[in-house]
Amino acid sequence: MTSPGTSVSAGTVDATPSRTTRQVSASRFFRSSTAADAPAPDDPRFAGNEVHVVASAAVSLEAAAAEAGRRGIEAVKDFARSGGTHLLVVNKPSWHLGELPESGDDFRHVFETTLGAVSDANDVLDGRAWPVLGVHPGLVSQLVDAGHDPEDAEGIMRAGLDLASEYLDGPALALKSGRPHYEVSDEVWNASNAVLKHALALGAENDRAVQLHTEGSEDLTEIADWAEERGLPAHRVVKHYAGGRL
């Protein structure tokens, strides 16, 4: 976001820390349970903005990660060997971990799986990992393709965010939301923006940051304005990946 007084943190999805993740400390954007849990703002250690670590009750962490096209806990080990100490572990898209949701409670196993992955990451890191829970914006297309109209899809995704927000009183550090980064109909786009606005409202209500998965852009001031209108400071809206400049 480029307007005065607004900011977005851009990180990487690679588990190897880079200059874009250096000194991005969790305490700048997120409220943790205790001050000792989060690195200080001037801490020179590495904090990764996003990593997906997949666990499964049926298969090993490594095998489940391979099925999802990622390296799972091995990526965390590489991150730690490179000097990384803190990670934000974001839940995988729900359709990668089971059937498409039909209600808010259908997201529970996705969030619980993520908490298990965070526990595994904490066994590896010198610092710690925190879960970031929410609803991947691409779910709207999955639901519409399965026969839901955009309004129904919006309701299911809002319910998933409601459940994610319940974890903010416990282990979760922030919410994940966004909107499609590919062509969609006007109806789907409007439903997606409604879901995003709901996430921003929940972030404000719970005094937590919201991590965005959106289209690539050098100007997301529209979203900053939505956040401010709902009581969420724009500096607590975090873009998890951005090409170009923000």
Side-chain angles (χ1 to χ4, degrees), residues 179 193 196-197 200 222-230:
R179 61 189 183 189
N193 280 328
L196 172 53
K197 291 173 183 177
L200 297 172
E222 175 185 55
I223 297 177
D225 291 342
W226 292 345
E228 296 280 2
E229 289 167 5
R230 287 158 179 78

Side-chain angles (χ1 to χ4, degrees), residues 33-219:
S33 55
T34 66
D37 285 338
D42 60 351
D43 191 325
R45 295 176 295 178
F46 293 128
N49 186 277
E50 173 171 10
V51 64
H52 292 291
V53 182
V54 184
S56 171
V59 292
S60 69
L61 179 62
E62 289 81 0
E67 290 174 4
R70 297 187 182 272
R71 296 177 53 242
I73 200 67
E74 291 305 314
V76 179
K77 292 177 181 178
D78 284 349
F79 180 79
R81 282 192 292 267
S82 299
T85 58
H86 295 76
L87 281 176
L88 306 181
V89 180
V90 184
N91 61 264
K92 291 289 289 181
S94 54
W95 63 92
H96 288 181
L97 296 173
E99 299 295 324
L100 288 176
E102 295 289 338
S103 68
D105 199 61
D106 289 343
F107 292 87
R108 191 176 301 277
H109 80 283
V110 177
F111 302 152
E112 293 294 334
T113 296
T114 306
L115 298 185
V118 168
S119 178
D120 290 340
N122 280 330
D123 290 338
V124 172
L125 296 169
D126 287 338
R128 64 163 296 178
W130 295 270
V132 176
L133 303 180
V135 178
H136 192 286
L139 179 61
V140 67
S141 297
Q142 299 285 327
L143 292 170
V144 169
D145 288 348
H148 290 278
D149 62 41
E151 288 186 359
D152 287 342
E154 175 193 333
I156 293 169
M157 295 171 73
R158 288 168 64 106
L161 286 167
D162 289 340
L163 179 63
S165 72
E166 295 178 13
Y167 288 83
L168 296 175
D169 287 334
L173 195 66
L175 292 175
K176 173 192 176 121
S177 188
R179 61 189 183 189
H181 50 83
Y182 47 85
E183 284 289 324
V184 295
S185 68
D186 289 345
E187 293 78 11
V188 168
W189 184 249
N190 292 336
S192 298
N193 280 328
V195 172
L196 172 53
K197 291 173 183 177
H198 185 60
L200 297 172
L202 288 171
E205 179 182 329
N206 291 277
D207 192 24
R208 296 299 181 94
V210 176
Q211 187 199 59
L212 297 182
H213 188 114
T214 73
E215 75 277 9
S217 175
E218 293 187 2
D219 185 1

